[in-house]
Amino acid sequence: MHGSINDAGAPLTLEHISRRFGDTLALDDVSLSIAPGEIVCLVGQSGCGKSSLLRIISGVDTADSGRILLNGTEIAGANSFVAPEDRNIGFMFQDYALFPHLTVEENVAFGLRRLSRREASARAAEVIARIGIQALSGRYPHTLSGGEQQRVALARALAPKPVILLMDEPFSNLDRGLRERVRDETISTLRALGTTAILVTHDPEEALSVGDRVVLMQAGRVVQVGTGYDIYDHPNSLYAAEFLCPCNRVEGIYRDGRVETVLGTFPARLGLPEGGKAFACIRPQALCLSGPDEGLPALVVNRSFLGEIEELLVRIEGVADLLRLRTTSRIDVKPGEPIHLTIDAGGVLIFAAA
């Protein structure tokens, strides 16, 4: 569905969206189409344009060029602009933005002012039950935990039955364990309801685990779109590879379909001229401990125990930067001790230096 214009039946279609703030091009010709019931994650470095795109979709900000279609109807373009409150787009903010003077039930019903009081109350009760927060109905936001506030914000966003739900870093204020649990519950709820959603995150692990598709952005542009597996296993640029997983970048020379580096020679399909510069991007899990009579000699500089995995920083002669090794095995080595390493070529990605 990526990048196609006027996709039939698409809840949301973006066509050539651009936005400039002074000398900064925040969004640069972004086109994207979202399928019904699809959860799409926008991810990228801070300042890449993720939140700017959400604001334009919601109507809080306007694009300098391009247009937006909601269920096939133009809601923003050169000659049209539908006000945010008339777009039927749900929005979950990072800080939840609950009204402190309203109860949970009143917060959820707040966006239902076009319904009669009786209808609004019934719809609010229905969504509250669906989210499983009936016990919170009469309470005020300041008495709720962060996870409870997040669930209330979700119920309020879903109550008007939006065409699409926009979520801007909705789990970032929660502690890690709670964040994962609330995120899983939220995504399960959205899938059960068939809700179409866009989630903005700076966390590549969150994007890879949550999104039906991941949209990777850089400097206002969409640089790669695909499933989490697609873009992790086949990143189309050094930026994508290094953003999605910390890599050991080693410079090499392209010769006869291979890239020669101080760590070894790796097959590559780059179409570079002979002698052209390239980078081998070696994922930390591709570095493996070997016996003393095989592999590359290295020196352990630091060792970090991270629970599920262990990470070593090692120095190899001829390589300027320290290399990062990650493994689920327990390694009985200390900083300053020598080791030997082999490299799993399946964990090496090759890119042109340009």
Side-chain angles (χ1 to χ4, degrees):
M1 302 293 293
H2 157 58
S4 49
I5 305 300
N6 285 325
D7 278 332
L12 180 72
T13 302
L14 309 177
E15 298 182 357
H16 307 297
I17 300 295
S18 293
R19 181 71 168 103
R20 183 180 291 278
F21 297 101
D23 294 331
T24 302
L25 190 57
L27 293 168
D28 184 7
D29 195 32
V30 173
S31 293
L32 187 69
S33 192
I34 313 295
E38 187 177 30
I39 297 175
V40 169
C41 286
L42 293 184
V43 67
Q45 294 174 343
S46 179
C48 71
K50 308 181 299 291
S51 294
S52 292
L53 191 58
L54 276 204
R55 288 195 295 271
I56 287 171
I57 295 169
S58 69
V60 174
D61 191 18
T62 55
D64 295 324
S65 60
R67 66 180 193 144
I68 303 173
L69 287 80
L70 198 67
N71 278 344
T73 300
E74 185 174 289
I75 59 169
N79 301 305
S80 65
F81 181 78
V82 175
E85 61 270 21
D86 296 325
R87 292 191 177 191
N88 196 18
I89 291 176
F91 206 118
M92 270 187 69
F93 297 93
Q94 186 174 0
D95 60 358
Y96 313 136
L98 299 175
F99 299 110
H101 61 290
L102 300 181
T103 65
V104 165
E105 183 179 10
E106 290 166 340
N107 264 283
V108 174
F110 184 81
L112 304 174
R113 287 168 293 181
R114 294 181 181 180
L115 301 180
S116 69
R117 181 171 294 184
R118 184 175 177 179
E119 291 171 324
S121 180
R123 174 60 183 162
E126 177 188 343
V127 176
I128 285 170
R130 192 65 187 256
I131 305 295
I133 53 174
Q134 300 96 313
L136 307 179
S137 289
R139 290 172 57 181
Y140 288 88
H142 73 274
T143 71
L144 306 178
S145 69
E148 289 169 339
Q149 289 186 31
Q150 198 276 345
R151 293 182 184 97
V152 174
L154 176 64
R156 185 179 64 180
L158 292 176
K161 299 182 180 178
V163 173
I164 190 167
L165 174 63
L166 309 180
M167 300 183 284
D168 193 1
E169 301 272 9
F171 313 113
S172 61
N173 289 338
L174 304 175
D175 294 334
R176 179 170 180 174
L178 180 61
R179 178 168 71 236
E180 292 175 358
R181 181 160 60 85
V182 171
R183 181 179 67 207
D184 290 347
E185 291 173 356
T186 299
I187 298 305
S188 293
T189 299
L190 297 181
R191 295 203 188 284
L193 294 172
T195 303
T196 308
I198 300 177
L199 186 150
V200 159
T201 178
H202 66 280
D203 181 349
E205 287 186 10
E206 183 166 88
L208 293 171
S209 67
V210 167
D212 296 313
R213 279 189 305 156
V214 177
V215 177
L216 179 62
M217 297 187 67
Q218 179 187 22
R221 296 187 67 89
V222 172
V223 294
Q224 190 167 359
V225 179
T227 67
Y229 289 101
D230 288 338
I231 70 169
Y232 184 86
D233 291 340
H234 307 288
N236 63 6
S237 65
L238 189 61
Y239 168 79
E242 292 185 329
F243 181 82
L244 296 168
C245 174
C247 284
N248 299 299
R249 188 198 297 193
V250 180
E251 192 171 295
I253 300 297
Y254 183 78
R255 288 195 178 94
D256 194 27
R258 302 175 70 82
V259 170
E260 301 172 356
T261 77
V262 296
L263 299 183
T265 301
F266 306 100
R269 297 177 183 174
L270 290 180
L272 280 176
E274 289 293 300
K277 286 187 177 181
F279 285 117
C281 186
I282 304 170
R283 287 181 161 156
Q285 62 271 28
L287 291 173
C288 310
L289 284 179
S290 64
D293 298 327
E294 56 181 335
L296 299 159
L299 189 72
V300 176
V301 175
N302 191 41
R303 174 184 173 187
S304 300
F305 178 54
L306 304 176
E308 184 180 349
I309 62 171
E310 199 150 10
E311 181 176 278
L312 300 183
L313 289 181
V314 303
R315 186 183 306 282
I316 293 182
E317 189 173 346
V319 180
D321 298 323
L322 297 178
L323 301 182
R324 190 185 307 262
L325 177 158
R326 286 183 174 177
T327 177
T328 55
S329 303
R330 295 289 177 260
I331 304 173
D332 187 20
V333 293
K334 298 180 178 63
E337 293 184 350
I339 57 174
H340 283 73
L341 301 174
T342 57
I343 299 174
D344 176 7
V348 181
L349 304 164
I350 305 295
F351 301 98

PDB file of all heavy atoms in Angstrom, residues 161-175:
ATOM      1  N   LYS A 161     -15.493   6.843  17.486  1.00  0.00           N
ATOM      2  CA  LYS A 161     -15.320   5.913  16.358  1.00  0.00           C
ATOM      3  C   LYS A 161     -14.574   6.599  15.206  1.00  0.00           C
ATOM      4  O   LYS A 161     -15.102   6.743  14.091  1.00  0.00           O
ATOM      5  CB  LYS A 161     -16.670   5.389  15.876  1.00  0.00           C
ATOM      6  CG  LYS A 161     -17.432   4.605  16.949  1.00  0.00           C
ATOM      7  CD  LYS A 161     -18.749   4.061  16.413  1.00  0.00           C
ATOM      8  CE  LYS A 161     -19.505   3.280  17.483  1.00  0.00           C
ATOM      9  NZ  LYS A 161     -20.812   2.770  17.014  1.00  0.00           N
ATOM     10  N   PRO A 162     -13.317   7.004  15.462  1.00  0.00           N
ATOM     11  CA  PRO A 162     -12.570   7.736  14.424  1.00  0.00           C
ATOM     12  C   PRO A 162     -12.246   6.860  13.229  1.00  0.00           C
ATOM     13  O   PRO A 162     -12.134   5.630  13.337  1.00  0.00           O
ATOM     14  CB  PRO A 162     -11.291   8.150  15.160  1.00  0.00           C
ATOM     15  CG  PRO A 162     -11.110   7.100  16.213  1.00  0.00           C
ATOM     16  CD  PRO A 162     -12.501   6.752  16.664  1.00  0.00           C
ATOM     17  N   VAL A 163     -12.091   7.507  12.058  1.00  0.00           N
ATOM     18  CA  VAL A 163     -11.667   6.802  10.855  1.00  0.00           C
ATOM     19  C   VAL A 163     -10.253   6.253  11.058  1.00  0.00           C
ATOM     20  O   VAL A 163      -9.922   5.152  10.625  1.00  0.00           O
ATOM     21  CB  VAL A 163     -11.697   7.745   9.633  1.00  0.00           C
ATOM     22  CG1 VAL A 163     -11.089   7.069   8.406  1.00  0.00           C
ATOM     23  CG2 VAL A 163     -13.122   8.185   9.350  1.00  0.00           C
ATOM     24  N   ILE A 164      -9.416   7.036  11.745  1.00  0.00           N
ATOM     25  CA  ILE A 164      -8.040   6.632  12.019  1.00  0.00           C
ATOM     26  C   ILE A 164      -7.629   7.232  13.355  1.00  0.00           C
ATOM     27  O   ILE A 164      -8.065   8.328  13.724  1.00  0.00           O
ATOM     28  CB  ILE A 164      -7.095   7.080  10.871  1.00  0.00           C
ATOM     29  CG1 ILE A 164      -5.702   6.456  11.036  1.00  0.00           C
ATOM     30  CG2 ILE A 164      -7.010   8.588  10.748  1.00  0.00           C
ATOM     31  CD1 ILE A 164      -4.827   6.584   9.799  1.00  0.00           C
ATOM     32  N   LEU A 165      -6.797   6.509  14.092  1.00  0.00           N
ATOM     33  CA  LEU A 165      -6.294   6.961  15.382  1.00  0.00           C
ATOM     34  C   LEU A 165      -4.820   7.305  15.239  1.00  0.00           C
ATOM     35  O   LEU A 165      -4.030   6.489  14.737  1.00  0.00           O
ATOM     36  CB  LEU A 165      -6.477   5.862  16.433  1.00  0.00           C
ATOM     37  CG  LEU A 165      -5.877   6.131  17.823  1.00  0.00           C
ATOM     38  CD1 LEU A 165      -6.552   7.333  18.476  1.00  0.00           C
ATOM     39  CD2 LEU A 165      -5.999   4.897  18.706  1.00  0.00           C
ATOM     40  N   LEU A 166      -4.441   8.510  15.663  1.00  0.00           N
ATOM     41  CA  LEU A 166      -3.049   8.945  15.655  1.00  0.00           C
ATOM     42  C   LEU A 166      -2.520   8.906  17.086  1.00  0.00           C
ATOM     43  O   LEU A 166      -3.160   9.413  18.007  1.00  0.00           O
ATOM     44  CB  LEU A 166      -2.936  10.373  15.109  1.00  0.00           C
ATOM     45  CG  LEU A 166      -3.630  10.657  13.769  1.00  0.00           C
ATOM     46  CD1 LEU A 166      -3.432  12.116  13.378  1.00  0.00           C
ATOM     47  CD2 LEU A 166      -3.104   9.720  12.677  1.00  0.00           C
ATOM     48  N   MET A 167      -1.348   8.305  17.271  1.00  0.00           N
ATOM     49  CA  MET A 167      -0.753   8.180  18.602  1.00  0.00           C
ATOM     50  C   MET A 167       0.681   8.696  18.571  1.00  0.00           C
ATOM     51  O   MET A 167       1.514   8.176  17.825  1.00  0.00           O
ATOM     52  CB  MET A 167      -0.787   6.716  19.064  1.00  0.00           C
ATOM     53  CG  MET A 167      -2.179   6.132  19.158  1.00  0.00           C
ATOM     54  SD  MET A 167      -2.186   4.420  19.789  1.00  0.00           S
ATOM     55  CE  MET A 167      -1.635   3.546  18.319  1.00  0.00           C
ATOM     56  N   ASP A 168       0.958   9.723  19.364  1.00  0.00           N
ATOM     57  CA  ASP A 168       2.281  10.340  19.380  1.00  0.00           C
ATOM     58  C   ASP A 168       3.034   9.903  20.635  1.00  0.00           C
ATOM     59  O   ASP A 168       2.770  10.396  21.724  1.00  0.00           O
ATOM     60  CB  ASP A 168       2.152  11.865  19.328  1.00  0.00           C
ATOM     61  CG  ASP A 168       3.474  12.543  19.023  1.00  0.00           C
ATOM     62  OD1 ASP A 168       4.488  11.831  18.839  1.00  0.00           O
ATOM     63  OD2 ASP A 168       3.524  13.784  18.965  1.00  0.00           O
ATOM     64  N   GLU A 169       3.959   8.966  20.494  1.00  0.00           N
ATOM     65  CA  GLU A 169       4.751   8.440  21.616  1.00  0.00           C
ATOM     66  C   GLU A 169       3.858   8.101  22.819  1.00  0.00           C
ATOM     67  O   GLU A 169       4.107   8.558  23.936  1.00  0.00           O
ATOM     68  CB  GLU A 169       5.807   9.476  22.039  1.00  0.00           C
ATOM     69  CG  GLU A 169       6.779   9.870  20.940  1.00  0.00           C
ATOM     70  CD  GLU A 169       8.004   8.965  20.868  1.00  0.00           C
ATOM     71  OE1 GLU A 169       8.009   7.935  21.554  1.00  0.00           O
ATOM     72  OE2 GLU A 169       8.922   9.289  20.119  1.00  0.00           O
ATOM     73  N   PRO A 170       2.801   7.309  22.639  1.00  0.00           N
ATOM     74  CA  PRO A 170       1.808   7.150  23.712  1.00  0.00           C
ATOM     75  C   PRO A 170       2.290   6.352  24.917  1.00  0.00           C
ATOM     76  O   PRO A 170       1.645   6.383  25.956  1.00  0.00           O
ATOM     77  CB  PRO A 170       0.672   6.401  23.001  1.00  0.00           C
ATOM     78  CG  PRO A 170       1.349   5.633  21.915  1.00  0.00           C
ATOM     79  CD  PRO A 170       2.465   6.522  21.453  1.00  0.00           C
ATOM     80  N   PHE A 171       3.412   5.645  24.801  1.00  0.00           N
ATOM     81  CA  PHE A 171       3.864   4.804  25.911  1.00  0.00           C
ATOM     82  C   PHE A 171       5.167   5.298  26.540  1.00  0.00           C
ATOM     83  O   PHE A 171       5.691   4.679  27.454  1.00  0.00           O
ATOM     84  CB  PHE A 171       4.065   3.360  25.424  1.00  0.00           C
ATOM     85  CG  PHE A 171       2.919   2.841  24.601  1.00  0.00           C
ATOM     86  CD1 PHE A 171       3.086   2.560  23.248  1.00  0.00           C
ATOM     87  CD2 PHE A 171       1.664   2.650  25.159  1.00  0.00           C
ATOM     88  CE1 PHE A 171       2.039   2.096  22.473  1.00  0.00           C
ATOM     89  CE2 PHE A 171       0.600   2.193  24.388  1.00  0.00           C
ATOM     90  CZ  PHE A 171       0.783   1.917  23.057  1.00  0.00           C
ATOM     91  N   SER A 172       5.690   6.416  26.050  1.00  0.00           N
ATOM     92  CA  SER A 172       7.037   6.844  26.443  1.00  0.00           C
ATOM     93  C   SER A 172       7.105   7.319  27.891  1.00  0.00           C
ATOM     94  O   SER A 172       8.193   7.354  28.474  1.00  0.00           O
ATOM     95  CB  SER A 172       7.540   7.949  25.510  1.00  0.00           C
ATOM     96  OG  SER A 172       6.694   9.072  25.577  1.00  0.00           O
ATOM     97  N   ASN A 173       5.971   7.698  28.496  1.00  0.00           N
ATOM     98  CA  ASN A 173       5.988   8.187  29.874  1.00  0.00           C
ATOM     99  C   ASN A 173       5.882   7.065  30.903  1.00  0.00           C
ATOM    100  O   ASN A 173       5.888   7.333  32.106  1.00  0.00           O
ATOM    101  CB  ASN A 173       4.845   9.184  30.107  1.00  0.00           C
ATOM    102  CG  ASN A 173       5.091  10.509  29.400  1.00  0.00           C
ATOM    103  OD1 ASN A 173       6.239  10.837  29.091  1.00  0.00           O
ATOM    104  ND2 ASN A 173       4.040  11.256  29.142  1.00  0.00           N
ATOM    105  N   LEU A 174       5.780   5.825  30.445  1.00  0.00           N
ATOM    106  CA  LEU A 174       5.605   4.697  31.362  1.00  0.00           C
ATOM    107  C   LEU A 174       6.932   3.988  31.610  1.00  0.00           C
ATOM    108  O   LEU A 174       7.806   3.966  30.754  1.00  0.00           O
ATOM    109  CB  LEU A 174       4.601   3.695  30.768  1.00  0.00           C
ATOM    110  CG  LEU A 174       3.221   4.251  30.412  1.00  0.00           C
ATOM    111  CD1 LEU A 174       2.383   3.177  29.727  1.00  0.00           C
ATOM    112  CD2 LEU A 174       2.507   4.764  31.652  1.00  0.00           C
ATOM    113  N   ASP A 175       7.064   3.412  32.812  1.00  0.00           N
ATOM    114  CA  ASP A 175       8.249   2.609  33.113  1.00  0.00           C
ATOM    115  C   ASP A 175       8.301   1.416  32.174  1.00  0.00           C
ATOM    116  O   ASP A 175       7.268   0.936  31.694  1.00  0.00           O
ATOM    117  CB  ASP A 175       8.220   2.124  34.564  1.00  0.00           C
ATOM    118  CG  ASP A 175       8.331   3.276  35.551  1.00  0.00           C
ATOM    119  OD1 ASP A 175       8.899   4.317  35.181  1.00  0.00           O
ATOM    120  OD2 ASP A 175       7.838   3.127  36.687  1.00  0.00           O
TER     121      ASP A 175
END
